Amino acid sequence: MAGAGTVAGAGSGPGAEVPAVQLDHVVRRFNDRPALDDISLTLGRGEIVGLIGRSGAGKSTLIRCLNGLDRPQAGRVVIDGTDISTLSEQALNPVRRRIGMIFQHFNLLSAKTVAENVALPLKIAGVARAARMKRVMELLDLVGLADKANAYPAQLSGGQKQRIGIARALAPEPLLLLSDEATSALDPETTQQILTLLKDVNRQLGLTILMITHEMEVVRQIAHRVLVLDAGRIVEEGPVAKVLASPQTDTTRSLLRGLSPVLPADLLAQIAPEGDQALIRVDVYGPDARRPLLAGVEAITGQPARLLHGGLNDVQGEPYGRLFLALGTADKDKLAAVVAKLKPETTAIEVLGYVPANV
């Protein structure tokens, strides 16, 4: 993107080894109901992390604790090495300026031009007009809307409004960008454009991004790592591809519905405790996804294994997938040998039962 080289990054220099964000055993209750229940997490500099969860999981409370709008009753919220949990409002202001926010509904001021909206945080911070307008034009160039500087929000599409929201969030050169359901109000094509922009911003500026969303597809496209929040607790976390390949909790499996292959209903109905051939489910991630699994199975069973359903995909260049295999035999000793061989070579393996030979 033009002009990117003139926009300062956030994750370099002395102290770069300090995490951008660290939460230690954070608790926030409302009327004795825990919105956040012993939350601990770390966001490294330059990392894109997806935080997913259903409505009411605690995502909004977590954001408010990160930007200091809410205070935990226990634990620490550390931003760039500074514990903000007990800071006064005055002491919080410099830290807040290092945290950018982009919102689902853009939150642009309708009576101000695009340039004035982007300049607003700089004006509040007391930056001189000439310096802030220079910065504004750099950022509008970065998000591809330099020609809209004098337009008003009502003249923009939804995607353009979100680009302006991103430019405004970047204006004070933040360390951390919080994206709160930033693509939920956008159509799929515009969502893809905004995610591409955020990836470019992350790559060019070294910015740490926390994507708060209920859409796992958004996380799949952009995040390096995912955290799953349920009832105020982090119930699962890990590299996105690994969590997609083998979700460990019912909450995660529910949120992933539609992204991981599941057996068609007609095939599911034919599974029985006994039958002509064993049916197994194999989850693969990373190097496991590149192994010649079917050849290994046939060497044990003496029968060609058949792929009945499944598929492979990739996240950030890391492959993951789920395969449903009919082994061609119902011999329990051979089945045990197949499981023993594949278990160390796969992310997860499960015997689902038996199906007819003609399935």
Side-chain angles (χ1 to χ4, degrees):
M1 292 182 184
T6 62
V7 183
S12 59
E17 72 281 354
V18 176
V21 174
Q22 187 168 346
L23 270 62
D24 294 327
H25 302 290
V26 168
V27 174
R28 182 67 177 101
R29 294 188 181 90
F30 296 98
N31 298 324
D32 294 327
R33 182 185 67 81
L36 299 177
D37 189 4
D38 196 29
I39 293 285
S40 294
L41 64 87
T42 299
L43 305 183
R45 290 173 183 261
E47 191 176 22
I48 303 178
V49 176
L51 177 71
I52 65 170
R54 302 185 184 97
S55 296
K59 303 189 299 295
S60 296
T61 302
L62 181 60
I63 291 174
R64 292 177 62 84
C65 286
L66 285 172
N67 60 24
L69 293 175
D70 212 339
R71 305 295 180 102
Q73 285 135 345
R76 300 190 314 145
V77 178
V78 182
I79 307 294
D80 194 25
T82 299
D83 183 357
I84 69 169
S85 309
T86 57
L87 292 182
S88 67
E89 282 296 313
Q90 184 176 2
L92 258 175
N93 286 333
V95 180
R96 282 194 180 126
R97 283 196 287 270
R98 305 211 68 200
I99 303 172
M101 283 284 303
I102 54 175
F103 305 92
Q104 179 178 2
H105 297 295
F106 323 125
N107 289 14
L108 301 179
L109 300 178
S110 61
K112 292 188 178 293
T113 67
V114 161
E116 289 169 338
N117 268 279
V118 177
L120 189 59
L122 300 175
K123 185 176 182 179
I124 292 172
V127 176
R129 176 176 170 77
R132 69 176 182 256
M133 293 315 296
K134 179 177 183 292
R135 174 74 174 163
V136 166
M137 294 313 298
E138 290 172 357
L139 288 165
L140 290 180
D141 198 19
L142 177 68
V143 301
L145 290 175
D147 61 330
K148 301 293 185 182
N150 296 318
Y152 286 86
Q155 298 171 287
L156 305 178
S157 68
Q160 289 172 330
K161 289 176 184 178
Q162 195 57 283
R163 286 175 179 269
I164 299 306
I166 292 170
R168 180 183 58 189
L170 296 176
E173 300 185 25
L175 165 80
L176 172 67
L177 185 63
L178 300 177
S179 169
D180 185 11
E181 301 281 6
T183 61
S184 294
L186 304 176
D187 61 70
E189 182 179 356
T190 306
T191 292
Q192 186 61 55
Q193 294 169 358
I194 294 301
L195 295 180
T196 298
L197 173 60
L198 289 174
K199 285 193 284 188
D200 288 345
V201 165
N202 167 259
R203 185 178 65 251
Q204 295 182 43
L205 308 186
L207 191 67
T208 301
I209 301 176
L210 181 63
M211 298 283 299
I212 294 93
T213 181
H214 64 277
E215 300 174 287
M216 191 62 199
E217 176 61 23
V218 169
V219 175
R220 187 188 73 81
Q221 291 190 53
I222 191 173
H224 306 126
R225 189 160 55 96
V226 62
L227 309 172
V228 182
L229 195 64
D230 186 35
R233 285 182 170 270
I234 294 175
V235 296
E236 190 163 353
E237 63 178 298
V240 174
K242 186 172 184 179
V243 172
L244 281 167
S246 186
Q248 299 299 302
T249 69
D250 289 340
T251 297
T252 309
R253 283 188 282 270
S254 175
L255 291 167
L256 293 183
R257 193 166 291 131
L259 288 182
S260 295
V262 295
L263 280 173
D266 59 338
L267 185 55
L268 191 62
Q270 298 186 63
I271 299 176
E274 301 290 339
D276 299 327
Q277 51 188 337
L279 177 66
I280 64 171
R281 190 202 80 226
V282 175
D283 295 332
V284 290
Y285 158 71
D288 293 338
R290 303 182 181 97
R291 301 182 194 276
L293 297 176
L294 298 185
V297 170
E298 185 173 351
I300 294 172
T301 63
Q303 300 289 334
R306 290 188 298 130
L307 176 60
L308 297 186
H309 193 65
L312 293 174
N313 212 322
D314 74 272
V315 174
Q316 312 289 325
E318 199 69 68
Y320 73 95
R322 171 168 289 179
L323 308 175
F324 297 92
L325 303 175
L327 301 187
T329 178
D331 186 288
K332 289 183 169 53
D333 290 337
K334 291 180 179 178
L335 173 59
V338 168
V339 171
K341 175 175 173 50
L342 293 185
K343 191 168 186 179
E345 299 177 356
T346 59
T347 306
I349 182 170
E350 181 182 3
V351 178
L352 301 179
Y354 295 83
V355 292
N358 61 353
V359 72

